[in-house]
């Protein structure tokens, strides 16, 4: 099993709900990422944090809000999502060439 | 903007066959290339990492090659087994440090017993 954990593993939410995804790594990595994986599309980078500072935001809608309180934890806060936001959300951590991915949160927006 | 393409999108083979998965990328100025495996409902597991200065890497029945100048990589799987059934993803990194990976859509492999 990988050194990156994600909770919850599955989430169903309405468009007016607010929820948060959590990611945790204890590998000592200094960078963490959120990727979105939709059917028939490549993994799409959403956010990158390096040393707890956000260094990249790939023009993600403001209904997704990341938070990195420390080097081991990463959150993705969700509010007023759309059905097209339904996807698998993967968290990853890296240090140099070592990459680990979490199992993902399968999100369904109704 | 870097784009990664993987062919075929899906592949079904009988057990024991050798097979090749293809990956191409549009900008040859990469730092390294990595092949991952993803099982249904799970995250990605790194299989092989090739630095831009290398031509190939091997791990067990897997061999990955890199032709950086032509923007191509192949993943060769020898003597395939049903346990190899998964989606295989190719990803490139354009710089060192914490530069993110750019992924292809993957090849979904089924090995039939």
């Amino acid at each position: 099993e990988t050194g990156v954990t994600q909770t919850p593993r599955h989430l169903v939410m309405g468009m007016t709900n607010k929820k948060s995804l959590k990611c945790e790594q204890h590998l000592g990595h200094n960078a963490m990422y959120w990727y979105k994986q939709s059917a028939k599309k490549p993994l799409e980078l959403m956010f990158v944090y390096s040393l707890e500072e956000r260094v990249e935001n790939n023009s993600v809608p403001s209904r997704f809000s990341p938070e990195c309180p420390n080097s081991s934890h990463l959150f993705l806060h969700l509010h007023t999502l759309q059905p097209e936001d339904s996807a698998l959300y993967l968290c990853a951590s890296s240090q140099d060439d070592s990459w680990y991915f979490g199992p993902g949160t399968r999100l369904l927006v109704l | 903007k870097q784009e990664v393409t993987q062919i075929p999108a899906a592949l079904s083979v009988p057990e024991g066959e050798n097979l090749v998965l293809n990956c191409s990328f549009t900008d040859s100025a990469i730092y390294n290339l990595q092949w991952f495996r993803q099982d249904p409902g799970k995250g990605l597991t790194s299989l092989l990492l090739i630095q831009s200065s290398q031509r190939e890497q091997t791990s067990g029945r897997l061999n990955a090659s890199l032709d950086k100048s032509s923007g191509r990589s192949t993943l060769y799987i020898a003597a395939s087994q049903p346990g190899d059934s998964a989606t295989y993803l190719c990803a490139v990194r354009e710089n060192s440090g914490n530069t993110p990976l750019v992924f292809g859509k993957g090849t979904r492999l089924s090995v039939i017993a």
Side-chain angles (χ1 to χ4, degrees), chain A residues 2 9 30-31 33 35 37 40-43 45 48 50 56 88 90 94-97 99 101-103, chain B residues 4 31-32 34 36 38 41-46 49 51 89 93 97-105:
Chain A
T2 69
R9 294 293 309 276
N30 60 8
Y33 311 77
Y35 279 89
Q37 187 175 33
K40 300 185 180 179
K41 286 187 176 182
L43 268 76
L45 177 68
V48 180
S50 178
E56 189 161 339
L88 181 67
L90 291 163
S94 77
Q95 175 102 23
D96 301 320
D97 291 330
W99 278 76
F101 281 79
Chain B
V4 179
Y31 177 70
N32 60 35
Q34 199 160 175
F36 290 86
Q38 184 177 28
K42 296 195 175 178
L44 283 63
T45 301
S46 179
L49 169 70
Q51 301 294 349
L89 294 155
R93 201 174 195 189
N98 295 320
T99 310
L101 297 171
V102 179
F103 284 88
K105 293 182 183 180

Side-chain angles (χ1 to χ4, degrees), chain A residues 44-72:
Chain A
E44 300 171 68
L45 177 68
M46 299 179 72
F47 300 102
V48 180
Y49 276 83
S50 178
L51 299 173
E52 301 159 45
E53 286 194 21
R54 190 162 75 190
V55 298
E56 189 161 339
N57 172 355
N58 271 13
S59 302
V60 177
S62 59
R63 56 187 184 268
F64 295 92
S65 175
E67 178 189 1
C68 188
N70 55 60
S71 60
S72 299

Side-chain angles (χ1 to χ4, degrees), chain B residues 27-107:
Chain B
D27 187 344
S28 62
I30 64 168
Y31 177 70
N32 60 35
L33 182 145
Q34 199 160 175
W35 283 92
F36 290 86
R37 169 185 173 139
Q38 184 177 28
D39 292 287
K42 296 195 175 178
L44 283 63
T45 301
S46 179
L47 297 173
L48 289 165
L49 169 70
I50 310 179
Q51 301 294 349
S52 61
S53 58
Q54 297 175 323
R55 296 299 298 263
E56 66 177 342
Q57 284 287 338
T58 298
S59 176
R61 293 183 293 106
L62 305 180
N63 175 276
S65 68
L66 174 63
D67 184 343
K68 185 183 164 190
S69 60
S70 68
R72 296 175 189 273
S73 175
T74 61
L75 178 66
Y76 175 82
I77 302 177
S80 58
Q81 303 171 357
D84 295 330
S85 299
T87 296
Y88 291 81
L89 294 155
C90 171
V92 299
R93 201 174 195 189
E94 297 183 303
N95 289 298
S96 60
N98 295 320
T99 310
L101 297 171
V102 179
F103 284 88
K105 293 182 183 180
T107 294

